[in-house]
Amino acid sequence: MSKYILLILFAVVTFGCDDIIEVEDISNTTVIVLAPTDNAVLNNTTLTFSWEPIDSAETYQIQIATPTFEDALQIVVDSTLANTNFTTTLENTNYEWRIRAKNSGYQTAYTTKSFSIEE
């Protein structure tokens, strides 16, 4: 009798944990940016950043730097979001922004774009 209970318990643990163990590898996926696009010149200080969703992504990390990430004077935004857009107000200057998708096991590389605000 105890062999059957152990066999049933083993089957439940093995098949019941399958969804928890298997996380889709999104590391070779690229986040497609919708706006603002690369080298955009904008005349509004309130901006909505948007990108296409990635299947199996749980969150997105957005970062905005001025003037660039390589020569950053300031990281003005570093946020983790569950949705595919982010709205903020920025000052008139040059920026780079980047976005990556994440799940519990993997993350994509950043997709980086530059833009400037000139009112």
Side-chain angles (χ1 to χ4, degrees):
M1 180 73 163
S2 63
K3 288 182 183 180
Y4 294 116
I5 293 173
L6 287 175
L7 183 61
I8 291 171
L9 181 60
F10 177 76
V12 168
V13 169
T14 301
F15 296 112
C17 295
D18 193 39
D19 290 334
I20 296 170
I21 296 170
E22 289 186 33
V23 175
E24 185 173 340
D25 183 354
I26 61 172
S27 60
N28 291 322
T29 307
T30 301
V31 178
I32 305 298
V33 167
L34 300 175
T37 57
D38 207 23
N39 300 315
V41 178
L42 308 166
N43 60 8
N44 193 344
T45 58
T46 300
L47 304 174
T48 298
F49 297 81
S50 58
W51 54 93
E52 291 184 4
I54 299 286
D55 289 340
S56 299
E58 296 166 0
T59 59
Y60 299 90
Q61 183 176 10
I62 184 171
Q63 295 180 330
I64 304 170
T66 182
T68 66
F69 287 102
E70 188 173 311
D71 298 317
L73 296 175
Q74 183 178 15
I75 304 295
V76 294
V77 170
D78 186 356
S79 294
T80 300
L81 314 160
N83 53 353
T84 57
N85 59 60
F86 175 77
T87 301
T88 192
T89 301
L90 300 170
E91 297 178 10
N92 295 348
T93 194
N94 298 320
Y95 295 93
E96 269 190 345
W97 77 285
R98 61 189 184 185
I99 187 76
R100 70 178 172 186
K102 300 168 82 174
N103 64 24
S104 62
Y106 302 93
Q107 62 191 20
T108 67
Y110 280 108
T111 299
T112 304
K113 303 293 179 184
S114 62
F115 67 97
S116 60
I117 300 174
E118 300 175 0
E119 269 193 319

